[in-house]
Amino acid sequence: MKGAIISMLVVVAMVQLITVKPGEAITCGDVNSDLAACVSYLTGKGGDFPPPQCCAGVNKLKESAVSIADKQAACKCVKAAAARIPDMKDEAASSLPAKCKVQVDFPISKNFNCAE
């Protein structure tokens, strides 16, 4: 788990150096960066509410995933990232967008069919 957190922080640092231009496809690096601050909330170690940086990342993810292809790509990346967090609480994941007051077009989940 410690290695996964360090990897996420490295990804965050790298992505901060790169600016995503409008029209570019969303990447799993973008998604991991956007949601890195959510790990403590998703594992139940950060309290009952996600931190502001987490909600900012959820909002950024929503704004980045504009086209259907972007939304499907983001969904697949979220699903893959969630699978790498073995102690993720499903209830925390499903409530994340609502607690951040951000409506996303796909759930934060390990078990969602992103092709729908």
Side-chain angles (χ1 to χ4, degrees):
M1 181 67 193
K2 187 176 181 181
I5 292 173
I6 291 171
S7 296
M8 285 179 143
L9 291 175
V10 169
V11 169
V12 170
M14 289 172 45
V15 172
Q16 287 180 346
L17 298 174
I18 302 169
T19 333
V20 177
K21 296 176 184 132
E24 288 185 3
I26 193 165
T27 68
C28 288
D30 298 331
V31 173
N32 291 342
S33 174
D34 292 343
L35 300 180
C38 301
V39 173
S40 63
Y41 169 74
L42 294 172
T43 56
K45 297 174 183 152
D48 293 335
F49 293 94
Q53 316 86 288
C54 169
C55 291
V58 172
N59 192 51
K60 183 177 175 197
L61 176 61
K62 177 194 180 230
E63 290 174 357
S64 299
V66 178
S67 70
I68 292 172
D70 285 344
K71 290 174 185 176
Q72 287 178 332
C75 178
K76 289 175 185 174
C77 293
V78 166
K79 190 173 176 179
R84 290 191 304 271
I85 306 172
D87 54 345
M88 184 178 91
K89 310 286 186 226
D90 290 333
E91 186 177 315
S94 64
S95 69
L96 180 61
K99 287 204 174 185
C100 287
K101 296 180 174 73
V102 177
Q103 181 181 351
V104 292
D105 296 327
F106 51 86
I108 310 285
S109 169
K110 294 179 187 178
N111 304 314
F112 185 72
N113 180 356
C114 296
E116 295 180 346

